[in-house]
Amino acid sequence: MLKLSQWVIAYRKLILVIFLLTSLFSVLAIPLVKVNYDNSRYLPSNMETRKSLNKLHETFGVQGSAQVMIPNVSIPQALEWKEKLNQIEGIAQVIWLDDVADIRKPQYFISETALKSWYINQNALFQLNFTEDDYSLKTEKAIKEIQMLDSENVRLRGPAIDALSTRSVASSELKHIMAWIIPILLLILILSSKSWIEPLLFMITIGVSVAINMGTNIFLPEISYLTQTIAGILQLAIAMDYSIFLMHRYREERNTGKEAVESMKKAMLGTFASITGSSMTTMASFLVLMFMRYRIGLDMGLVLVKGIALSLIAVVFLLPALIIFLDPLINRSSHPSFFPRLAGLFNGIIKLKIIVPVIFLLIIIPSYLAQNSNHFLYGEAAASADDGTVTGRDSYAMESVFGRYNPLVLMVPSGQQGKETQLSEELQAMDTILSVQALSTLVDPAISRNMLPLDLLRNFEHNGYSRLILYLDTPVESESVFLLIEEIKEITQSYYDDSYYMIGASSSIADIKKVVEYDFVVINLVSILAIGLILLLIFRSLIIPFLLIFVIEAAIWINMAIPYFTGTPLIFIGFMIVNTVQLGATIDYAILLTSRYTENRKRMDRTSSIKEALNSSGISIITSALIVAAAGICLALVSAISGVSSIGLLIGRGALISCLLVLLVLPQFLYWADPLISKKTKLKINHRKEV
């Protein structure tokens, strides 16, 4: 490390030029990164849902779908709207009441079932099938043309609408969130620093690494919109620790009278273990995400690991160069810390060495049980745009008239018209199925299928399969819909045995649940073992890794127990991500405190070592926690995507809980475990006995 510090200082001008050029390239590359908005592409290939989707695409091609509601129209006016919709490029088919009933007859002669599905109280509901998939730009253009027909009255819902809404929100949201987060982070850094320049140096260093990380995503085939929205913000918040640790150590060395260059060498040597240890534990937790069977973990884990690695490189190479160049300006812009003096509080913490562990144990037992009993949401819709968006409001308005929108596709072998008709009728008779769209329901069975329009035939029968589209009057995710899915499977099997395919959001959730629950058990265990191994290498002690991981895991249990006690459902993919993020990111606080404790223990008794460790690292830990908490809470408050908002809230709250436990509970554990640490450590510490 000494040679590296000497090299960095010697070639600091070259380092600045390299980072400048790389940053410029990255900023230009960011708009060119390909972003994926289709979460179904991350499903494992061996899942029934994935197989069914592949079969659907192979048989009928990829078609997007949506529904349009036009209020206050008569039947003739609705027919005019249907014609307008049919003329829009990108729409393959428009289905309405006239396709299932003779609308030339008086309305009271039309079946109640047909009216309930397509025309209620002068509200007309049209089913659209697009020529391309839900995520296609051509489909997006068609949706925008529909909205332009009458933006005040047209209401839209469905997979294609959700895709457009998510893309629109996600593409603009990152800038919006950053506009909130950056000023808040700067304020926190100003309050905790002792120079007006220091916060700018921190933001430049980590900001450059974030820009490089986002720009180098251009070399990946694509990244998820969740990764695009979350990764840069998490990197900015989590990696700020490294800059703070180095600057605080540099100031300590400068205060002893050393010159800038010598102080930087000492600071780099003194913080190398804590910075590399912190970054390695964080990268280990993100690396584990890459082994999830639900491949969004690979997507997010890869980008986050790359981001933390780039942040470490920036702190080791760029920040020292900036500090030395600007050292005179840093000194001239010095100011007293605006952070409240907490020395008395830190000194008093050790006096709680009996009461705090008792209270802690009383809290974590129910927390552990509660976090295992949370109500989880597993579906893709759980991470989509929320009801505060235009899409959410449109969906609510349409649901109040026509009921919920939950389509389910059945693909059955074609050429058995009698079976298909009987199956359609049996399904249509179920109370929780609003309608069944199939050739057998849209066309008189007496009409030969050879006489049907080619477009209609191609949409429902092709390559040896017939397609039935069921519209369920159920939530996408609930126990009732899971029971309904099982009932539909039993009915379909009675006609076709196992030679059918089922595709739908509800039917896929059970598969997703199995995959992610298994993934969680594996990644949680592996991340704990990986971080434990890193801590073992850093501290050369068996007891220290156990204490540090136990404290942070307890913070995670408390964080995840809060939704149980408040009755708030948790998005499971967010639950998984936050578990790894909180463990990997906030273990840094415990590493810093314990590193200072072990250093002090070479020359002090255990009580003095803990007090000094708290005094020297407490402000850094609080600052780091406030930064992560601010970033997370901003995500929660600003994001219109419920999945992003949920993850942000969990991360922000988790950082504060971890900080509290590290400052209150970990010192007590270090105090009581000191004799055991003294015996089992391999650090060759000359432990002084208590005075």
Side-chain angles (χ1 to χ4, degrees), residues 392-452:
R393 292 193 293 271
D394 278 7
S395 294
Y396 179 80
M398 295 174 74
E399 183 178 316
S400 65
V401 179
F402 288 98
R404 300 180 181 95
Y405 180 70
N406 185 9
L408 182 73
V409 175
L410 285 175
M411 286 175 55
V412 299
S414 59
Q416 304 176 59
Q417 191 170 338
K419 277 188 179 182
E420 184 181 324
T421 301
Q422 290 176 6
L423 175 61
S424 299
E425 290 175 351
E426 187 171 350
L427 293 172
Q428 181 74 73
M430 298 175 70
D431 292 337
T432 47
I433 296 180
L434 293 171
S435 65
V436 177
Q437 286 184 11
L439 285 180
S440 56
T441 61
L442 295 175
V443 179
D444 188 335
I447 299 175
S448 170
R449 297 196 173 182
N450 293 329
M451 299 176 62
L452 298 177

Side-chain angles (χ1 to χ4, degrees), residues 39-307:
N39 283 347
S40 68
R41 293 171 62 174
Y42 298 113
L43 296 172
S45 59
N46 61 347
M47 280 180 60
E48 289 303 317
T49 299
R50 184 72 263 171
K51 292 177 182 178
S52 296
L53 281 168
N54 290 339
K55 190 66 177 179
L56 175 66
H57 294 170
E58 173 190 320
T59 306
F60 290 97
V62 183
Q63 275 191 322
S65 63
Q67 288 187 330
V68 178
M69 185 179 80
I70 309 297
N72 302 317
V73 290
S74 63
I75 287 180
Q77 288 172 326
L79 287 173
E80 292 176 6
W81 268 98
K82 183 179 179 181
E83 183 60 29
K84 289 179 185 178
L85 295 172
N86 268 316
Q87 292 176 359
I88 294 175
E89 185 180 358
I91 296 179
Q93 187 180 34
V94 182
I95 300 173
W96 189 58
L97 178 65
D98 61 317
D99 293 303
V100 298
D102 186 354
I103 60 173
R104 292 171 298 179
K105 297 179 180 179
Q107 190 170 318
Y108 52 81
F109 282 113
I110 301 174
S111 73
E112 185 180 347
T113 300
L115 289 172
K116 184 175 70 173
S117 300
W118 303 104
Y119 190 65
I120 298 176
N121 297 331
Q122 291 195 309
N123 292 286
L125 183 70
F126 301 93
Q127 175 64 38
L128 307 182
N129 294 318
F130 297 96
T131 57
E132 297 184 5
D133 66 43
D134 293 319
Y135 303 90
S136 163
L137 293 178
K138 188 174 182 180
T139 300
E140 177 182 334
K141 183 180 177 183
I143 292 170
K144 289 181 177 178
E145 286 189 37
I146 295 170
Q147 292 170 329
M148 289 172 63
L149 292 175
D150 187 347
S151 59
E152 293 295 323
N153 293 309
V154 169
R155 298 288 181 265
L156 294 152
R157 71 179 179 183
I161 310 304
D162 292 338
L164 172 59
S165 176
T166 301
R167 180 163 59 244
S168 300
V169 171
S171 61
S172 62
E173 201 164 71
L174 186 59
K175 294 177 182 178
H176 189 200
I177 294 170
M178 283 292 190
W180 279 88
I181 287 179
I182 290 175
I184 292 173
L185 296 192
L186 277 172
L187 177 61
I188 294 171
L189 291 171
I190 288 171
L191 292 174
S192 63
S193 68
K194 295 185 177 180
S195 168
W196 298 106
I197 301 299
E198 285 179 20
L200 296 177
L201 295 182
F202 297 156
M203 295 298 291
I204 290 171
T205 301
I206 305 303
V208 163
S209 67
V210 170
I212 295 173
N213 187 33
M214 294 180 68
T216 52
N217 288 333
I218 196 174
F219 298 113
L220 301 176
E222 63 184 17
I223 64 170
S224 162
Y225 74 91
L226 283 173
T227 302
Q228 175 82 346
T229 305
I230 292 173
I233 295 165
L234 286 182
Q235 181 187 347
L236 181 66
I238 293 169
M240 196 68 71
D241 290 1
Y242 315 150
S243 297
I244 293 171
F245 294 169
L246 181 63
M247 177 61 83
H248 282 199
R249 195 57 173 254
Y250 173 76
R251 274 202 166 275
E252 288 179 12
E253 298 296 336
R254 283 291 274 149
N255 289 338
T256 63
K258 298 184 183 72
E259 293 298 322
V261 170
E262 185 62 25
S263 295
M264 181 53 67
K265 289 180 182 178
K266 292 286 186 181
M268 292 179 72
L269 288 171
T271 57
F272 181 75
S274 58
I275 290 175
T276 54
S278 297
S279 61
M280 286 173 65
T281 53
T282 305
M283 283 191 284
S285 65
F286 293 152
L287 186 66
V288 173
L289 287 174
M290 296 169 63
F291 296 95
M292 288 172 56
R293 290 186 297 167
Y294 191 42
R295 307 310 287 170
I296 196 169
L298 172 64
D299 180 270
M300 189 169 290
L302 178 60
V303 174
L304 286 171
V305 167
K306 177 161 64 74

